Amino acid sequence: QVHLVESGGGLVQAGGSLRLSCAAPGITFFTFKSMAWYRQAPGKQRELVAHITNDLNTDYIESVKGRFTISRDNAQKTVYLRMISLKPEDTAVYYCNSRDGRLEWGQGTQVTVSS
């Protein structure tokens, strides 16, 4: 059973914006889970970008603060990542997972930012 399906990536110019979505229809107790967005750039390790707790507290890595916004819709079992003012260094495959990264990883969605 597929648990996480990411979508919304694409090719944008620097300064552009995207909204990523992560559908998690197969996740039980979704409402109680802290969820997160991760990304993996070519040749680099996967890194956590943002997370959101079950009571909607959020946190971000320094490089995306003020530009990325994570949100969730518990009724739809969906997590979003709104990204503005994109930079070439944001280029990566973006994944969602629980905050502890213990769910089965999805395919991710490619974000490419051209300069």
Side-chain angles (χ1 to χ4, degrees):
Q1 184 178 6
V2 176
H3 294 294
L4 299 167
V5 181
E6 300 92 347
S7 63
L11 171 63
V12 296
Q13 291 186 333
S17 62
L18 287 171
R19 189 178 83 152
L20 307 183
S21 298
C22 171
I27 302 301
T28 56
F29 305 115
F30 176 86
T31 301
F32 302 103
K33 289 187 182 295
S34 289
M35 296 296 294
W37 281 96
Y38 301 76
R39 67 186 180 188
Q40 186 166 20
K44 295 187 177 181
Q45 289 189 332
R46 186 178 291 163
E47 65 173 347
L48 186 147
V49 175
H51 83 268
I52 183 167
T53 65
N54 60 328
D55 55 355
L56 305 183
N57 290 311
T58 60
D59 199 9
Y60 305 86
I61 58 172
E62 195 63 35
S63 61
V64 307
K65 283 182 178 179
R67 300 188 299 119
F68 289 13
T69 303
I70 188 171
S71 60
R72 66 191 296 164
D73 182 336
N74 288 334
Q76 298 296 321
K77 291 189 176 181
T78 302
V79 185
Y80 302 98
L81 186 68
R82 174 67 173 166
M83 308 184 295
I84 65 171
S85 301
L86 283 162
K87 303 175 181 180
E89 50 264 44
D90 295 318
T91 295
V93 179
Y94 284 71
Y95 303 86
C96 72
N97 206 306
S98 56
R99 175 63 178 87
D100 59 12
R102 298 177 71 174
L103 300 174
E104 181 178 349
W105 292 92
Q107 295 297 310
T109 186
Q110 176 70 49
V111 172
T112 303
V113 185
S114 64
S115 58

